[in-house]
Amino acid sequence: MYILGIETSCDETAAAIVSDTKEIRSNVVMSQTAEHLPYGGVVPEIAARAHLDYIENVVDQALREADMTLADVDAIAATGGPGLIGGVIVGVMTAKAIASVTGKPFIAVNHLEGHALTARLTNDVPFPFLLLLVSGGHCQFLIVKGVGQYQKLGGTVDDALGEAFDKTAKMLGLDYPGGPAVEKLARSGNPHAYPFPMPMKGRAGCDLSFSGLKTAVRKVISEQCLVPSEGSNTASLLSTKHLPLGTISDICASFQYTAGEVVCDRTRNAMQQFCAAFPDAKSFVLAGGVAANQYLRGKLEILAKEFRLNLIAPPIKLCTDNAAMIAWAGIERFKLGMVDGLDFEPRPRWPLSA
């Protein structure tokens, strides 16, 4: 069985063909980084127009690399949400058009389920498992009991961790995407240079918050950019371009350290709940774009060992948005008879646990 997957939920236009034997025949990702770089973040209208420009060529390339035609594909899967609605519409309508013309089944995949099930593609993880999904738009703990069966333990009450990374980078004048830039500079910085607050740490439950941390970072940056004015008692504001590299590295390191402490504290609570409910389960899955952060992976791996859980994170190229995960989720759903009609409506919001 082969599924063509299409992913257009944010700023990557992607298509892939995956088999039920877990062979990734192709996985094409067209990044829109250049389009959004001048703005320091994703602009929804620009993203939607770029998807329209790229989608046909990306699907064609995925078929060519797989050495297949649409006749060889058993079904078409596309991200149906959540995401930037303009982009989601492009992917869904493309998939519906292909399904209509070829007579193949159409499968609408929840983007979050794509991330959640990737570990079953790469590592054959059995159900149930504990999932920490961390990306630019999402941050939540889920017990994955089966395809379409999710129990949410907690999530961010404001900003996602990936967004906090990107906003910190933007405030420091670093290039977009901000997460990798912050992680790189943090390696040479002092993680204890700035004692940022740790929202939610020590509280019961598994909810997270990063808005206050982001505000604290902004305050420190503002203070560091203030310098005495010549011949007066006032201070003038300098651009972050004038900050010493060491100061920027210290801010990055302190931010990353603080975020890691918060995530580990909340993860501990989630692991306690999961292990109490499923004492024989052995897997803790880390998924989403922020799962590519090696510092965070290292801290969570140490924590997982305390609970005798195996930390499983997909390869970095499958952590960020891609269509292979959508194709695989499509396979999992198709096997269970979970197909959708061509009247499916794209969704900007689509909680997994609903």
Side-chain angles (χ1 to χ4, degrees), residues 120-292:
R120 288 175 53 78
L121 167 64
T122 59
N123 297 80
D124 200 26
V125 178
F127 298 121
F129 59 85
L130 177 64
L131 169 69
L132 170 55
L133 177 57
V134 277
S135 67
H138 307 279
C139 191
Q140 54 190 281
F141 293 99
L142 296 156
I143 295 177
V144 183
K145 300 178 181 179
V147 178
Q149 301 177 45
Y150 302 91
Q151 178 185 344
K152 185 177 178 180
L153 300 181
T156 179
V157 298
D158 41 56
D159 300 333
L161 181 54
E163 179 186 353
F165 266 94
D166 287 340
K167 292 292 177 62
T168 294
K170 186 174 182 179
M171 288 186 287
L172 287 168
L174 303 179
D175 286 339
Y176 172 83
V182 170
E183 182 183 9
K184 181 178 179 180
L185 285 171
R187 296 190 191 112
S188 58
N190 176 6
H192 305 292
Y194 300 99
F196 291 129
M198 299 183 179
M200 296 286 190
K201 185 176 181 181
R203 294 190 187 183
C206 305
D207 284 339
L208 306 100
S209 170
F210 296 104
S211 179
L213 172 57
K214 193 173 65 178
T215 300
V217 171
R218 182 175 61 188
K219 183 179 178 182
V220 165
I221 292 171
S222 297
E223 291 171 350
Q224 291 298 315
C225 288
L226 286 173
V227 296
S229 294
E230 220 175 291
S232 73
N233 294 324
T234 61
S236 60
L237 186 62
L238 286 178
S239 164
T240 53
K241 293 179 181 178
H242 298 284
L243 284 179
L245 183 59
T247 299
I248 294 176
S249 296
D250 286 347
I251 292 173
C252 289
S254 298
F255 164 79
Q256 183 172 256
Y257 166 78
T258 303
E261 290 298 300
V262 170
V263 170
C264 284
D265 177 79
R266 315 318 290 155
T267 302
R268 181 180 295 277
N269 290 355
M271 287 179 173
Q272 288 173 346
Q273 290 187 41
F274 175 67
C275 291
F278 301 96
D280 295 328
K282 299 298 181 185
S283 301
F284 168 56
V285 173
L286 181 63
V290 183

Side-chain angles (χ1 to χ4, degrees), residues 4-16 32 47-56 58-59 75-100 105-109 111 323 326 341-342 344-347 350:
L4 167 63
I6 296 173
E7 156 60 25
T8 56
S9 67
C10 192
D11 62 334
E12 281 90 18
T13 310
Q32 299 178 10
R49 290 178 180 275
H51 287 309
L52 278 172
D53 291 339
Y54 297 151
I55 189 65
E56 184 177 351
V58 167
V59 170
I76 318 298
T79 297
L84 301 177
I85 191 61
V88 175
I89 289 173
V90 172
V92 167
M93 295 307 293
T94 300
K96 284 183 180 181
I98 295 172
S100 178
F106 166 71
I107 305 164
V109 173
H111 178 81
I326 302 303
L342 297 182
F344 173 85
E345 296 183 3
R347 306 174 186 181
W350 191 1

